[in-house]
Amino acid sequence: MKKSPLILVIFCFSFFSVNAQREAASVNQLVIIANNPGPVISRDIYGHFSEHLGTCIYGGIWVGKDSRIPNTDGIRNDVLNALREMKIPNLRWPGGCFADTYHWMDGIGPQEKRASIINTHWGGVTEDNSFGTHEFMRLAELIECEPYISGNVGSGTIREMADWVEYLTSGSDSPMTRLRKQNGREEPWKVKYFAIGNENWGCGGNMTPEFYSDVMRQFSTYLKNYSGNRLYKVACGASDNDLVWTETVMKEPKNRNMFQGLSLHYYSVPGGWGRKSSATDFTENEWWETFRLNYEIDNIIKGHKAIMDRYDPRNTKGLVIDEWGNWFQVEPGTNPGFLYQQNTLRDAITAAIHLNIFNQHADRVKVANLAQVVNVLQAVILTKDDKMILTPTYHVFRMLKVHQDARLLETDLVCEDYSIDRRGIPAISASASVDSEGKVHISIANLNPGKSIVLSCPVIGETYKTVTGEILTANQMAAMNTFENPETVVPQAFKDFRMKEGILTVTMPAKSVVLLELKK
Ligand code: AHR
């Protein structure tokens, strides 16, 4: 977004005054230009991810029609309600690494006849395929979200993937549509997002970007738009800072003709892959380090975006960050292949940092999916038998859903650092948007666990009469919701702000996420 002259003046003033004063006292200011809305924040950056991994699908979502756990067509009602309330816009399935081992025909037809396979990626457990295409599409229907399907490039065939698209979306008479009808679904479904492989540089076939590009074009050629359905094809993109992958896939015009979105995966792994730290038992150093890693996604997006801008200046391709989140050690005593981790206030702040950054990149980032929705990694929901809890991360998604489809507002943030051992990261993360009714929403996180911060927010260009707020915080950095105490970290009404002469002054408590709504 172009900066308005006014904001430049305010920014220069703020910048110089901040630098001058930083030694003595901190100035924390978020300038919001309210009368010049920018790009629409795609609702799909608030998306989620469900893989056949651990108890994400089995137990977490799918319990089967005969379960004593209340369900709709085999899908847990408590989870359905929670996902609806969070306004989940899209759900990615069936993987992840699982997707490139998944043969969709194993998961259709009468349950008792479905093939059992070994889930070779995740724990070596038996996968009975009782949750397949019809069950996933029913789930998407029940929560009214876009299905996002990952096709199998690594170990599948072109014909298999092409048949899947035909089975799902065609209204014509064909062997695939007859099979679908035989399995109980008369009408085709609508499917928007369809990925041509997952992590094909790794678990999806260990390919080079050159080889993948050739394969991707070949697969894509046969994925057709049937019966008015239009696929948004997602090509496999890079991990982290692998700019070579993005450059290779983007630079060839013939590649670019074959997809609408390019994926990116980025996990924050404090301690590194070999020595992951605990999700619940951590020091302030680890708290800080987690947020430092979270902020990195901003630079990573900028790197990939620069390449995409060069080859796609008209911005026709979206960056699809279809896996992100904190990755910690598994909960002690759980199957290491199931990636089950608890979720604390730290994860809630992580979610706010990411969503604010995705909002800021609304021009290019069109889809994002937190890994994963239930019982895996930075989950929004945890289940244990018939019990379900909402994690602190859930509450941030629920609070910030107001940004979905709103237009990004230009902001300039000048804030003090939150430092440890003389290494600093911005103490405040923020973004703002205006919705179709003219309401402004500002999401702010204060990362510092030991200090409240007074943030001055001049609101330029419009006048607002009423302000309301909601806050998520807790006494401890590692505060979490458990099955015994499910409401330790829940949003509360927030009133610690005042609006005077167009300046909103907010006192952000230590370690908190705040959502403010401004109305005229
Ligand atoms: O989300 C867990 C795994 O992380 C996914 O299966 C894979 O794509 C990634 O490496």
Side-chain angles (χ1 to χ4, degrees):
M1 230 191 323
K2 279 225 164 67
K3 294 218 185 300
S4 65
L6 180 58
I7 202 163
L8 281 176
V9 171
I10 293 170
F11 174 75
C12 289
F13 173 77
S14 310
F15 181 80
F16 291 118
S17 66
V18 164
N19 276 347
Q21 293 175 34
R22 182 158 274 178
E23 293 293 309
S26 306
V27 170
N28 294 288
Q29 188 180 58
L30 176 72
V31 179
I32 301 164
I33 307 295
N35 61 351
N36 186 25
V40 171
I41 296 170
S42 163
R43 69 173 73 176
D44 287 314
I45 68 174
Y46 288 73
H48 290 267
F49 171 31
S50 55
E51 180 164 11
H52 288 238
L53 194 179
T55 55
C56 179
I57 298 290
Y58 297 108
I61 292 174
W62 175 252
V63 287
K65 292 176 188 168
D66 300 330
S67 172
R68 64 184 174 78
I69 298 174
N71 67 85
T72 305
D73 300 334
I75 301 166
R76 299 178 70 121
N77 287 346
D78 49 3
V79 171
L80 285 174
N81 290 334
L83 294 179
R84 284 192 197 108
E85 174 60 22
M86 195 178 63
K87 206 174 156 201
I88 178 171
N90 74 77
L91 186 61
R92 179 170 182 252
W93 172 84
C97 293
F98 180 78
D100 280 271
T101 62
Y102 184 62
H103 300 284
W104 69 273
M105 286 221 183
D106 291 345
I108 56 169
Q111 293 266 339
E112 62 286 0
K113 291 201 176 143
R114 295 191 187 175
S116 280
I117 58 160
I118 303 167
N119 190 332
T120 48
H121 273 294
W122 305 118
V125 294
T126 300
E127 157 69 58
D128 71 1
N129 277 301
S130 52
F131 189 89
T133 299
H134 289 251
E135 292 74 23
F136 174 69
M137 293 306 288
R138 180 74 180 128
L139 166 63
E141 220 162 52
L142 288 167
I143 53 180
E144 293 177 30
C145 81
E146 290 284 354
Y148 174 4
I149 294 187
S150 291
N152 179 349
V153 167
S155 69
T157 64
I158 297 169
R159 178 175 182 176
E160 183 182 13
M161 195 187 286
D163 281 351
W164 201 6
V165 171
E166 187 181 314
Y167 184 94
L168 284 159
T169 60
S170 173
S172 305
D173 185 43
S174 73
M176 284 304 116
T177 61
R178 263 172 259 140
L179 184 59
R180 185 190 70 225
K181 289 175 190 176
Q182 197 184 308
N183 289 331
R185 174 77 186 193
E186 196 61 28
E187 294 302 314
W189 291 282
K190 290 278 186 231
V191 174
K192 183 172 177 186
Y193 299 112
F194 197 98
I196 307 172
N198 167 75
E199 297 194 352
N200 300 97
W201 36 262
C203 65
N206 284 303
M207 301 174 187
T208 63
E210 291 81 7
F211 182 78
Y212 172 74
S213 298
D214 291 343
V215 170
M216 179 273 294
R217 286 197 311 278
Q218 202 182 358
F219 272 76
S220 180
T221 305
Y222 302 96
L223 305 180
K224 304 292 184 190
N225 288 321
Y226 294 104
S227 311
N229 185 69
R230 287 205 74 75
L231 294 173
Y232 182 103
K233 297 178 197 171
V234 180
C236 169
S239 170
D240 307 349
N241 256 325
D242 182 358
L243 300 180
V244 172
W245 184 282
T246 301
E247 173 78 22
T248 310
V249 177
M250 282 301 294
K251 76 176 176 211
E252 288 295 336
K254 59 182 189 228
N255 289 348
R256 299 200 297 273
N257 289 337
M258 291 293 176
F259 62 86
Q260 286 71 43
L262 183 63
S263 80
L264 169 66
H265 288 182
Y266 175 69
Y267 287 100
S268 302
V269 192
W273 290 105
R275 294 178 48 240
K276 292 193 231 49
S277 61
S278 162
T280 52
D281 184 9
F282 52 85
T283 61
E284 190 181 339
N285 270 305
E286 290 169 298
W287 162 277
W288 181 92
E289 174 65 3
T290 305
F291 301 146
R292 185 191 69 74
L293 292 167
N294 295 163
Y295 272 128
E296 270 304 299
I297 198 163
D298 188 39
N299 288 327
I300 291 172
I301 292 171
K302 283 177 182 150
H304 294 286
K305 204 164 134 175
I307 296 171
M308 295 178 84
D309 288 350
R310 191 146 33 91
Y311 295 114
D312 175 38
R314 288 177 37 242
N315 211 343
T316 60
K317 311 287 169 210
L319 187 58
V320 174
I321 306 172
D322 50 13
E323 289 188 28
W324 66 269
N326 288 337
W327 193 317
F328 300 120
Q329 265 173 35
V330 298
E331 273 294 288
T334 64
N335 185 333
F338 282 13
L339 310 185
Y340 179 86
Q341 64 191 43
Q342 247 292 3
N343 197 289
T344 67
L345 182 62
R346 171 173 62 163
D347 294 281
I349 294 177
T350 287
I353 292 172
H354 281 80
L355 294 173
N356 282 332
I357 290 172
F358 297 160
N359 286 350
Q360 303 283 8
H361 290 290
D363 56 339
R364 187 60 86 171
V365 178
K366 298 299 173 191
V367 182
N369 302 79
L370 173 67
Q372 299 196 4
V373 70
V374 186
N375 292 340
V376 170
L377 298 176
Q378 195 184 334
V380 290
I381 292 171
L382 299 176
T383 65
K384 188 155 113 197
D385 304 324
D386 59 345
K387 293 201 182 74
M388 179 200 79
I389 54 173
L390 305 176
T391 66
T393 298
Y394 175 93
H395 292 299
V396 170
F397 270 84
R398 218 269 302 123
M399 288 162 70
L400 272 59
K401 68 182 178 183
V402 288
H403 289 305
Q404 292 185 27
D405 294 332
R407 291 181 68 188
L408 180 69
L409 291 179
E410 187 179 345
T411 50
D412 254 313
L413 174 66
V414 178
C415 71
E416 67 191 59
D417 274 353
Y418 163 42
S419 302
I420 284 216
D421 294 339
R422 299 218 214 121
R423 295 169 75 206
I425 53 176
I428 296 284
S429 152
S431 69
S433 69
V434 59
D435 70 11
S436 55
E437 294 166 21
K439 286 182 278 183
V440 165
H441 294 105
I442 312 167
S443 42
I444 313 169
N446 175 5
L447 283 50
N448 195 323
K451 186 181 173 203
S452 71
I453 293 178
V454 177
L455 184 66
S456 164
C457 310
V459 183
I460 312 294
E462 300 283 351
T463 305
Y464 297 91
K465 282 200 194 110
T466 57
V467 184
T468 49
E470 213 181 352
I471 185 168
L472 191 74
T473 187
N475 292 335
Q476 309 294 327
M477 290 186 286
M480 68 186 110
N481 297 330
T482 62
F483 293 96
E484 295 71 40
N485 294 300
E487 305 221 320
T488 305
V489 191
V490 288
Q492 311 283 347
F494 176 71
K495 297 206 167 65
D496 213 347
F497 52 79
R498 65 174 192 280
M499 176 71 110
K500 201 170 163 210
E501 292 164 7
I503 299 183
L504 176 66
T505 306
V506 188
T507 303
M508 288 291 302
K511 51 177 166 25
S512 66
V513 178
V514 162
L515 192 270
L516 296 166
E517 180 174 273
L518 278 54
K519 285 198 243 173
K520 287 186 178 169

